[in-house]
Amino acid sequence: VSNAGVGMAGPLECQSLAAMQNLMDTNFFGLVRLVKEVLPDMKRRRGGHIVIISSIMGLQGIIFNDIYAASKFAVEGFCESLVVQALRFNVAISLVEPGPVMTEFEEKLYEEAKRADYSRTDPETADIFTNLYLRNSRDVFASLGQTPEDIAEHTLRVIEAARPPFRHQTNAAYTPMAALKHADPSGALVTDAFYKLVFKYDAVLRLSLR
């Protein structure tokens, strides 16, 4: 089971390349190093199961989560490319894709975001992040967030499955978001929906979450 991960949220201009590289080294290359270690023996035994804690953000990017989403997209692409070869050797690969999870991980991320220096971006972007994104994100976590124990139960079901699924989303509230993306290959539908949600109907969003 691969569960190592670090987060990053905020305006792109305010994030250093070194921090981005560190995130990718943990979230993506950490997984790659693990798979390189365990896969050869699983192939020799012709049996095994690799379970990766991914994210709904591996399927859909979210505003101000550019680099974190990129790392999870990389995880998804890596596993999607590898799964067919692995099946030839009777090795299962499963991606567990949570939405928001209420842990110290997120709290630390929010605290760091509140204290961060946004002078390297323009005032409008800084205002959108601090007064729209951070506020709405807290409501989303409070309303839709799962506990770590819930994610552990989902992961256990995937591990114990007779035929392990390749993808398993833990939060049904995010199924429509993923469906929107697949409904329109041009990307226009989901982009328009998110734009309106963030910039036009944010008050309605917060009210509905509460």
Side-chain angles (χ1 to χ4, degrees):
V1 177
S2 174
N3 187 39
V6 293
M8 179 183 289
L12 185 65
E13 307 95 309
C14 301
Q15 297 163 343
S16 71
L17 283 174
M20 296 177 193
Q21 289 168 339
N22 179 66
L23 182 144
M24 291 298 293
D25 190 50
T26 300
N27 292 10
F28 176 62
F29 288 107
L31 167 65
V32 173
R33 287 191 290 269
L34 174 69
V35 172
K36 277 175 64 69
E37 287 295 323
V38 302
L39 186 61
D41 188 55
M42 288 181 174
K43 288 166 76 173
R44 278 192 295 271
R45 288 188 285 112
R46 302 193 84 85
H49 189 187
I50 300 170
V51 180
I52 298 104
I53 307 301
S54 180
S55 169
I56 196 70
M57 277 194 255
L59 302 175
Q60 172 63 54
I62 302 292
I63 186 171
F64 292 121
N65 284 270
D66 323 275
I67 307 305
Y68 180 78
S71 73
K72 292 301 184 178
F73 266 72
V75 165
E76 295 272 336
F78 172 71
C79 294
E80 195 168 278
S81 299
L82 192 61
V83 66
V84 174
Q85 178 205 145
L87 282 174
R88 178 68 179 177
F89 294 88
N90 195 38
V91 176
I93 295 177
S94 295
L95 289 157
V96 178
E97 299 162 335
V101 185
M102 297 175 291
T103 66
E104 292 179 5
F105 180 95
E106 278 74 25
E107 279 304 316
K108 182 183 177 186
L109 202 61
Y110 283 122
E111 289 305 314
E112 289 174 352
K114 285 194 292 188
R115 295 194 304 267
D117 175 15
Y118 299 115
S119 60
R120 283 174 291 173
T121 190
D122 59 277
E124 185 176 359
T125 300
D127 180 67
I128 292 168
F129 177 66
T130 55
N131 293 320
L132 276 181
Y133 172 80
L134 287 179
R135 182 176 56 180
N136 287 343
S137 289
R138 283 199 171 278
D139 288 343
V140 167
F141 270 85
S143 178
L144 302 177
Q146 294 175 276
T147 65
E149 291 77 14
D150 194 14
I151 303 304
E153 288 292 336
H154 277 272
T155 305
L156 182 61
R157 288 203 292 272
V158 168
I159 291 170
E160 292 180 336
R163 298 186 65 180
F166 175 54
R167 285 193 170 96
H168 176 81
Q169 293 174 28
T170 69
N171 194 326
Y174 284 82
T175 302
M177 183 175 75
L180 267 182
K181 187 170 183 178
H182 291 290
D184 177 15
S186 78
L189 186 62
V190 72
T191 301
D192 183 61
F194 271 97
Y195 182 88
K196 287 176 178 173
L197 199 61
V198 173
F199 295 113
K200 290 190 174 182
Y201 306 129
D202 66 292
V204 176
L205 171 66
R206 287 199 307 276
L207 184 64
S208 64
L209 289 170
R210 288 170 183 171

